[in-house]
């Protein structure tokens, strides 16, 4: 039964009990309340007493009303009241009910609304004792009828899939339909498919079909593509409508490895349009960190696209052995490399040690023979970490002794001295051509132009491993390209020059194709299925229907043809796949996709998903009845004189009244203003941070110094108090041994009076730790807004000459032995007061004899406060890096903070020669 359309009852016949309430009123009204009994010492005492109190012979009306309300609440509660019951739906029938889902990625956008609507329909079906079965077209299984309440308990286990139901799955679903007649609730994703008519005919043959479909927009994002130096994106919506703006976000990792939104792109649908275009201009370093593009406020795999190597233009550093041929551009060792790589890669120029910190994907050495030991160590570490070193031969390499007697770590093979020349004026032989590429070669399948010839080359020494390292050779069997693995990276050598002096290879299109196959440059477009024939691709990360990206786990690999051509499904999930040389993404939305809304026949009832959720009220009413009965008991006790609550309340009120003046007296006796500040910060050693006016940065600075104070408390004899934010204009600085100053581009410049206090503070032994917090994007100097602001802030300060922290500086050993000073970022660029010019290291001593002064400033950009920061429970406030390496970096940051405070408190006492034996023992010397 439904009352006024918003209230229903599961057992409405119990409401007849409300008719007994008037009879109960009369009965309770006729029965007088219990008499008040008093104990008297004797009858004599009754003489002369007057009866001033009158006791009613009937129960008060308000008490009767309270009891009537309690009884009414019990009756209504037992009748099963329900707020917002479903009325006149298909669930009111008595036939079995089949719940059918499209279950595709398009269903994920409003899956929760579908589940809420289904829960209400199942509740109504349960009241009508209708058995229910479910069937998902995207992952069909045999449908079995069961109780509606049983299915309600399992709704959380129903999930969509990140693919659409294809013809094969629809046929499987039709074969799985239950026997007999039944009605159907079809929860549609709104997309048109050829198979819909077949499914609808089969369902209508069994009973009534009701479709539930949301009018909410469905978005599909095509794979990103790189065009004209920008990342181009195409977004589709299912239905045309008014002009609308939709945001696209590029998500990835920041330099510390933490998830972050790297860029946003607003895309506008014109009035009546279903497609919007947009482009993002991203620097190469930022573009390489993008892991996904996603429609904002959308939770669907179709609204996500994963970039692969076709988008991530690789960073290539080009270094030549000699660039002294001014004006002869065609003879430049790098000219043809520039022309081949410029359209598809981001090129980096500079010295070897200058480009390594940028961590390029590939470093090309064109006729570079000898590298210094420092360069060799850094380059080898970079290769072992996953870099590709691509070397080209030339006159310098041919004349050198590199990789002659023993194989050089940065060469794939040993070389013969001098090289060889064929087909030249001083040679009897003819120029050599290329032999077809072997099946194991990364160049396999490339066509060989007839005009590619070789006139000179460096020769490889015969070696047992030579055959396995040759990936291209000439027709006479001599190596043209060799390769070896080194750690996670590889070293590749072209035995000819990078220009046209020794061969015509750089003049041909084959040169560009070979560089692409080596993954030196980005693939400009998706490969064809025929190009991937015979390859196997392993899933690395896969998408779920809601757009979540997870690890692939033990999913098997797929063939190249399957990856390109087959429809998505359980055996081919959308995600990122890795091959031997590159990665490919398989996204839900293909290129040139079209979204068409489903069109239902007029005879089919189509309902939306918006419906009020049913709310049972029985529990609330029974709880109300309980409270009313408790109130009745208390009122009855009060009327009979057996309740002393009023007296207890009076005592409590009096106690509170007496306590308030005393508390106010204590408050008035506490120190106020500057006196209170001085007492608080000098009662214990206190670390301070300069207030910048940015609430978030000041909060992190406070939390960082709190974490450092806790570390000092547990590891050293220093027991700091709570850190304090310092206002340069108002607060005294002499109370703080060290001040942490986070630099922001828009913080206010201190006044002249504040600078006078700062200079006095520095001259009297205080220290300021300047932190520009930008080591992830800039080095020391004015290359960032924070660096320029630091120069502006420090200009009026009396700062001595600075130098990078030397290896024997006392900061490296005041408490812990350190060589690096990381924070949230791990830059080595930390500056301190320069050592005196006459500081010399005595023979046999591990460090110089420095003065005993404390460096007044320490300057860096490693964001130490974020690394030190903890919350009130002592847990790290911000993540650093990933896994063990990140926590190790945090530990070193804490150690640097301990060394810093101990340096402030003790000076350079660890420079005294008396500590030499202990330090030598610690250093293992």
């Amino acid at each position: 039964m439904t009352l006024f359309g918003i209230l229903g009852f599961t057992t409405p016949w119990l409401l007849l009990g409300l008719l007994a309430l008037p009879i109960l009123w009369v009965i309770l009204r006729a029965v007088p309340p219990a008499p008040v009994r008093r104990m008297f010492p004797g009858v004599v005492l009754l003489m002369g007493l007057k009866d001033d109190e009158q006791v009613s012979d009937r129960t008060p009306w308000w008490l009767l009303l309270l009891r009537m309300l309690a009884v009414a609440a019990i009756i209504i509660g037992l009748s099963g009241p329900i707020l917002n019951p479903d009325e006149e739906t298909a669930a009111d029938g008595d036939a079995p009910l089949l719940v059918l889902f499209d279950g595709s990625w398009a269903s994920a956008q409003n899956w929760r609304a579908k589940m809420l609507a289904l829960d209400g329909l199942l509740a109504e079906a349960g009241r009508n004792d209708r058995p229910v079965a479910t069937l998902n077209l995207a992952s069909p299984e045999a449908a079995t009828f069961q109780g509606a309440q049983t299915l309600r308990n399992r709704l959380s286990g129903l999930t969509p899939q990140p693919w659409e139901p294809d013809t094969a799955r629809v046929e499987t679903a039709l074969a799985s339909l239950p026997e007999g007649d039944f009605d159907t609730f079809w929860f549609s994703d709104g997309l048109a498919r050829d198979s819909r008519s077949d499914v609808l005919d089969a369902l209508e043959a069994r009973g009534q079909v009701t479709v539930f479909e949301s009018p909410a927009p469905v978005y599909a994002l095509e794979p990103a593509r790189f065009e004209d130096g920008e990342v181009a994106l195409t977004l589709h919506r299912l239905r045309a409508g008014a002009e609308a703006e939709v945001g696209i976000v590029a998500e990835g990792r920041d330099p510390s490895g933490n998830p972050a939104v790297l860029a946003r792109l607003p895309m506008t649908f014109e009035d009546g349009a279903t497609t919007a275009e947009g482009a993002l201009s991203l620097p190469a370093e930022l573009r390489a960190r993008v892991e996904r593009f996603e429609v904002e406020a959308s939770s669907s795999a179709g609204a996500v696209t994963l970039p692969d190597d076709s988008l991530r233009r690789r960073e290539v550093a080009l270094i030549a052995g000699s660039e002294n041929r001014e004006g002869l551009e065609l003879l430049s060792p790098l000219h043809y490399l520039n022309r081949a790589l410029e359209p598809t890669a981001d090129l980096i120029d500079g010295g070897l040690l200058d480009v390594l910190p940028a961590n390029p994907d590939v470093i090309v050495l064109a006729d570079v023979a000898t590298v210094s030991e420092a360069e060799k160590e850094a380059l080898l570490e970079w290769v072992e970490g996953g870099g590709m070193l691509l070397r080209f031969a030339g006159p310098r390499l041919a004349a050198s002794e590199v990789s002659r007697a023993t194989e050089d770590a940065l060469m794939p093979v040993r070389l013969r001295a001098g090289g060889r020349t064929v087909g030249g004026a001083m040679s009897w032989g003819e120029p050599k051509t290329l032999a077809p590429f072997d099946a194991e070669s990364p160049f396999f399948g490339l066509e060989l132009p007839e005009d590619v010839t070789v006139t000179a080359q460096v020769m490889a020494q015969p070696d047992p491993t030579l055959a396995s390292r040759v990936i291209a050779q000439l027709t006479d069997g001599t190596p043209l390209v060799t390769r070896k693995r080194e750690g996670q990276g590889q070293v590749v050598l072209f035995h000819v020059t990078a220009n046209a002096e020794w061969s015509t290879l750089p003049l041909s299109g084959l040169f560009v194709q070979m560089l692409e196959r080596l993954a030196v440059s980005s693939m400009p477009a998706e490969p064809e299925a025929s190009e991937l024939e015979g390859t196997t691709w392993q899933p690395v990360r896969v998408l779920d229907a809601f757009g979540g990206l997870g690890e692939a786990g033990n999913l098997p690999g797929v063939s190249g043809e399957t990856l390109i051509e087959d429809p998505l499904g359980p055996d081919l999930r959308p995600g990122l796949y890795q091959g031997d040389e590159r990665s490919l993404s398989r996204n839900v939305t293909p290129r040139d996709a079209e979204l068409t809304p489903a069109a239902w026949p007029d005879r089919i009832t189509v309902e939306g998903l918006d419906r009020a959720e049913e709310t049972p009220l029985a529990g609330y009413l029974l709880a109300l009845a309980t409270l009313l009965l408790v109130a009745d008991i208390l009122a009855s006790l009060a009327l009979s004189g057996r309740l002393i609550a009023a007296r207890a309340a009076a005592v409590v009120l009096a106690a509170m009244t007496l306590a308030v003046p005393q508390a106010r007296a204590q408050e008035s006796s506490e120190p106020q203003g500057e006196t209170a500040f001085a007492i608080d910060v000098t009662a214990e050693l206190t670390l301070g941070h300069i207030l910048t006016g940015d609430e978030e940065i000041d909060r992190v600075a406070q939390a960082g110094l709190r974490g450092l104070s806790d570390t000092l408390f547990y590891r050293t004899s220093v027991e700091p108090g709570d850190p304090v934010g310092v206002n340069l204009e108002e607060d005294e600085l002499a109370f703080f041994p060290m001040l942490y100053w986070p630099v922001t581009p828009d913080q206010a410049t201190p006044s002249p009076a504040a600078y006078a206090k700062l200079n006095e503070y520095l001259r009297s032994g205080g220290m300021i730790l300047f932190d520009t917090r930008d080591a992830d994007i800039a080095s020391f100097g004015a290359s960032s807004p924070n660096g320029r602001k630091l120069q502006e802030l420090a200009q009026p300060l009396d700062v001595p000459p600075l130098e990078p922290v030397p290896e024997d500086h006392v900061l490296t050993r005041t408490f812990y032995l350190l060589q690096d000073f990381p924070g949230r970022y791990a830059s080595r660029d930390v500056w301190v007061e320069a050592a005196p010019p006459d500081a010399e290291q005595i023979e046999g001593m591990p460090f110089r004899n420095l003065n005993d002064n404390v460096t007044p400033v320490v300057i860096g950009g490693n964001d130490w406060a974020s690394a030190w920061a903890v919350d009130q429970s002592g847990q790290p406030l911000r993540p650093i890096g990933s896994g063990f390496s990140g926590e190790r970096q945090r530990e070193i940051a804490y150690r640097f903070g301990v060394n810093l405070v101990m340096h402030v408190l003790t000076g350079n006492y660890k420079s005294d020669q008396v500590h030499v034996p202990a330090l030598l023992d610690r250093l293992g010397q």
Side-chain angles (χ1 to χ4, degrees):
M1 184 185 79
T2 302
L3 185 63
F4 305 120
I6 62 171
L7 186 64
F9 298 91
T10 58
T11 53
W13 57 269
L14 285 178
L15 296 177
L16 296 175
L18 296 175
L19 300 177
L21 290 181
I23 301 175
L24 185 61
W25 174 281
V26 174
I27 294 175
L28 293 177
R29 185 70 174 171
V31 177
V36 178
R37 297 183 179 184
R38 292 193 178 97
M39 301 298 295
F40 293 95
V43 179
V44 178
L45 298 178
L46 296 176
M47 298 178 62
L49 293 178
K50 295 182 179 179
D51 189 6
D52 296 331
E53 297 183 2
Q54 301 293 327
V55 179
S56 174
D57 62 342
R58 292 186 178 181
T59 303
W61 69 268
W62 55 270
L63 186 58
L64 282 176
L65 180 61
L66 191 67
R67 294 171 178 173
M68 294 298 100
L69 291 175
V71 175
I74 293 175
I75 295 174
I76 298 175
L78 294 177
S79 66
I82 298 176
L83 185 64
N84 299 319
D86 284 333
E87 184 179 12
E88 296 180 0
T89 66
D92 292 335
D94 55 5
L97 180 62
L98 174 67
V99 179
L100 184 70
F101 301 97
D102 283 337
S104 70
W105 59 266
S107 299
Q109 175 66 30
N110 43 43
W111 189 256
R112 176 174 172 78
K114 286 182 170 66
M115 292 299 100
L116 290 175
L118 178 58
D119 184 70
L121 295 170
L122 291 179
E124 184 65 23
R127 290 192 289 270
N128 294 331
D129 295 327
R130 302 183 67 180
V132 183
T134 60
L135 183 60
N136 190 334
L137 292 178
S139 54
E141 296 180 357
T144 304
F145 287 110
Q146 54 190 319
Q149 186 58 44
T150 302
L151 186 57
R152 290 184 72 187
N153 297 334
R154 299 177 181 174
L155 286 182
S156 59
L158 299 178
T159 56
Q161 301 295 340
W163 55 78
E164 294 190 36
D166 58 11
T167 303
R169 294 185 183 88
V170 169
E171 291 177 354
T172 302
L174 293 178
S176 304
L177 291 178
E179 297 294 333
D181 294 336
F182 51 81
D183 294 336
T184 303
F185 286 169
W186 190 342
F187 284 86
S188 168
D189 59 11
L191 299 180
R193 296 186 189 90
D194 295 337
S195 59
R196 283 201 184 276
S197 58
D198 296 335
V199 177
L200 185 59
D201 292 341
L203 295 177
E204 285 190 298
R206 304 294 186 89
Q208 180 182 353
V209 177
T210 303
V211 174
F212 295 88
E213 188 174 287
S214 173
V218 175
Y219 296 108
L221 186 61
E222 288 190 15
R225 57 195 186 277
F226 195 80
E227 295 178 353
D228 299 328
E230 296 181 320
V231 179
L233 294 166
T234 301
L235 180 64
H236 303 277
R237 61 178 175 179
L238 180 59
R239 298 177 180 87
E243 180 177 326
E245 183 177 287
V246 179
I248 305 293
V249 294
E251 299 178 350
R253 302 276 177 174
D254 64 14
S256 298
N258 303 314
V261 174
L262 304 179
R264 282 185 171 85
L265 172 66
M267 300 183 69
T268 302
F269 287 99
E270 301 294 338
D271 187 15
T274 58
T275 302
E277 302 278 352
L280 270 173
S281 179
L282 298 176
E285 187 273 337
L286 193 62
R287 189 171 61 248
R289 297 206 305 265
V290 175
E291 295 180 354
R292 58 189 281 158
F293 295 95
E294 181 178 8
V295 179
E296 280 189 302
S298 181
S299 56
S300 161
V304 175
T305 184
L306 304 178
D308 54 22
D309 287 347
S310 62
L311 175 64
R312 297 191 183 100
R313 284 164 56 99
R314 297 168 70 83
E315 293 182 336
V316 180
L318 301 179
I319 300 173
S322 175
E323 283 288 346
N324 57 0
R325 295 182 175 182
E326 297 182 5
L328 301 179
E329 183 178 356
L330 295 179
L331 298 180
S332 168
L334 301 182
H335 171 71
Y336 296 99
L337 286 170
N338 275 292
R339 295 291 300 272
L341 298 176
E342 195 171 25
T344 56
D346 295 299
L347 305 182
I348 302 176
D349 295 324
L352 186 56
L353 292 180
D354 295 329
V355 302
L356 278 173
N359 193 27
D361 298 291
V362 182
I363 293 180
V364 179
L365 300 182
D367 194 21
V368 176
T370 305
V371 295
S372 67
E373 285 299 319
E375 291 174 329
K376 183 175 181 179
E377 291 179 4
L379 192 56
L380 186 59
E381 181 181 359
W382 170 81
V383 171
E384 291 176 343
M388 174 189 285
L389 177 61
L390 179 61
R391 307 192 68 164
F392 285 86
R396 288 171 172 266
L397 185 61
S400 72
E401 295 298 322
V402 174
S403 199
R404 292 285 191 262
T406 59
E407 182 181 303
D408 190 278
L410 298 178
M411 293 291 289
V413 293
R414 292 192 302 127
L415 301 178
R416 295 182 183 180
R420 79 161 178 172
T421 302
V422 292
M426 303 298 294
S427 172
W428 294 98
E430 294 293 331
K432 302 300 180 182
T433 58
L434 275 64
F437 300 116
D438 295 336
E440 294 79 14
S441 170
F443 310 133
F444 178 72
L446 296 181
E447 295 185 6
L448 298 178
E450 296 181 356
D451 57 348
V452 174
T453 58
V454 175
T455 57
Q457 68 182 129
V458 292
M459 301 292 292
Q461 290 276 15
D463 190 273
T465 62
L466 178 60
S468 62
R469 296 181 180 181
V470 175
I471 57 177
Q473 59 187 354
L474 302 180
T475 52
D476 62 359
T478 55
L480 176 66
V481 185
T482 53
R483 176 177 67 174
K484 77 170 180 180
R485 300 286 180 179
E486 191 71 37
Q488 299 296 319
Q490 55 184 320
V491 179
V492 179
L493 171 65
F494 276 73
H495 292 239
V496 294
T497 57
N499 57 17
E501 287 189 28
W502 285 14
S503 75
T504 59
L505 178 63
L507 302 175
S508 69
L510 178 63
F511 186 60
V512 177
Q513 294 174 332
M514 294 176 73
L515 294 178
E516 289 178 353
R517 288 292 184 92
L518 288 172
V520 176
S521 61
S522 301
M523 292 295 185
E526 291 185 1
E528 299 292 336
S530 58
E531 298 178 23
L532 302 184
E533 184 177 355
T535 61
T536 300
W537 297 77
Q538 188 65 35
V540 179
R541 307 185 74 184
V542 293
L543 284 170
D544 60 24
F546 300 100
L549 191 60
E551 298 297 329
N554 297 323
L555 290 176
V558 299
S559 66
E561 307 96 302
T562 298
L563 180 62
I564 298 298
E565 295 181 337
D566 285 14
L568 294 174
D571 299 326
L572 179 61
R573 297 174 181 268
L576 190 65
Y577 291 77
Q578 183 65 48
D580 292 336
E581 301 293 343
R582 61 169 295 182
S583 64
L584 281 176
S585 61
R586 180 64 191 269
N587 292 292
V588 171
T589 307
R591 296 195 188 278
D592 302 323
E594 291 185 6
L595 298 184
T596 305
W600 299 97
D602 294 338
R603 65 181 182 277
I604 300 300
T605 302
V606 180
E607 299 184 10
L609 301 178
D610 294 333
R611 58 185 65 242
E613 185 178 358
E614 289 188 353
T615 306
L617 302 178
Y620 300 105
L621 290 171
L622 293 178
L624 175 62
T626 301
L627 293 176
L628 293 174
L629 292 175
V630 171
D632 173 70
I633 294 173
L634 296 177
S636 299
L637 291 176
L639 289 175
S640 63
R642 300 174 185 175
L643 192 65
I644 58 173
R647 187 180 303 172
V651 173
V652 174
L653 183 61
M656 293 176 61
T657 305
L658 293 175
V660 171
Q662 184 177 1
R664 290 180 178 176
Q666 292 177 355
E667 291 176 0
S668 62
S669 63
E670 294 179 356
Q672 303 291 325
E674 296 181 357
T675 303
F677 179 81
I679 293 175
D680 289 339
V681 299
T682 55
E684 297 175 292
L685 183 142
T686 303
L687 303 179
H689 63 92
I690 304 299
L691 296 175
T692 65
D694 188 310
E695 293 182 1
E696 175 62 17
I697 292 178
D698 292 341
R699 182 183 69 85
V700 173
Q702 176 79 10
L705 293 186
R706 181 170 61 243
L708 179 58
S709 297
D710 292 344
T711 303
L712 289 165
F713 180 87
Y714 290 115
R715 302 187 185 184
T716 72
S717 60
V718 180
E719 299 182 359
D722 293 333
V724 174
V726 178
N727 187 323
L728 290 176
E729 306 296 335
E730 300 176 0
D731 298 332
E732 176 58 51
L733 307 182
F735 302 139
F736 305 94
M738 184 187 82
L739 292 174
Y740 174 74
W741 193 333
V743 178
T744 62
D746 53 354
Q747 64 183 258
T749 303
S751 65
Y755 272 118
K757 289 198 298 181
L758 284 168
N759 282 325
E760 181 61 25
Y761 174 75
L762 295 176
R763 296 184 186 119
S764 60
M767 186 180 76
I768 300 177
L769 173 60
F770 290 96
D771 191 353
T772 57
R773 305 171 298 102
D774 58 0
D776 59 326
I777 60 173
S779 58
F780 180 75
S783 58
S784 70
N786 291 5
R788 291 189 288 273
K789 185 64 178 183
L790 172 61
Q791 290 187 343
E792 176 186 343
L793 293 173
Q795 185 175 5
L797 295 177
D798 188 10
V799 177
L802 304 177
E803 67 176 354
V805 177
E807 293 183 356
D808 61 346
H809 195 276
V810 72
L811 269 178
T812 63
R813 59 184 183 276
T814 50
F815 193 86
Y816 292 101
L817 295 179
L818 299 176
Q819 287 301 323
D820 296 303
F821 316 104
R824 187 181 183 188
Y825 312 117
S827 170
R828 187 64 174 81
D829 237 357
V830 180
W831 293 68
V832 295
E833 181 183 8
D838 58 349
E840 297 180 356
Q841 183 174 348
I842 302 174
E843 184 177 358
M845 295 296 122
F847 44 75
R848 292 171 294 175
N849 185 18
L850 302 175
N851 58 41
D852 291 330
N853 293 330
V854 174
T855 175
V857 295
V858 177
I859 300 176
N862 289 341
D863 196 5
W864 289 288
S866 293
W868 300 334
V870 296
D871 57 22
Q872 295 297 333
S873 62
Q875 297 300 314
L877 194 63
R878 288 190 171 179
I880 296 180
S882 60
F884 174 79
S885 62
E887 291 308 310
R888 177 62 180 170
Q889 182 174 328
R890 190 191 305 277
E891 170 62 23
I892 300 301
Y894 277 128
R895 294 185 180 186
F896 168 66
V898 171
N899 277 19
L900 201 63
V901 175
M902 299 302 287
H903 174 51
V904 173
L905 299 179
T906 63
N908 284 355
Y909 84 105
K910 279 292 181 72
S911 289
D912 296 338
Q913 302 304 305
V914 69
H915 299 288
V916 169
L919 288 172
L920 287 176
D921 183 63
R922 289 283 304 280
L923 292 169
Q925 298 181 3

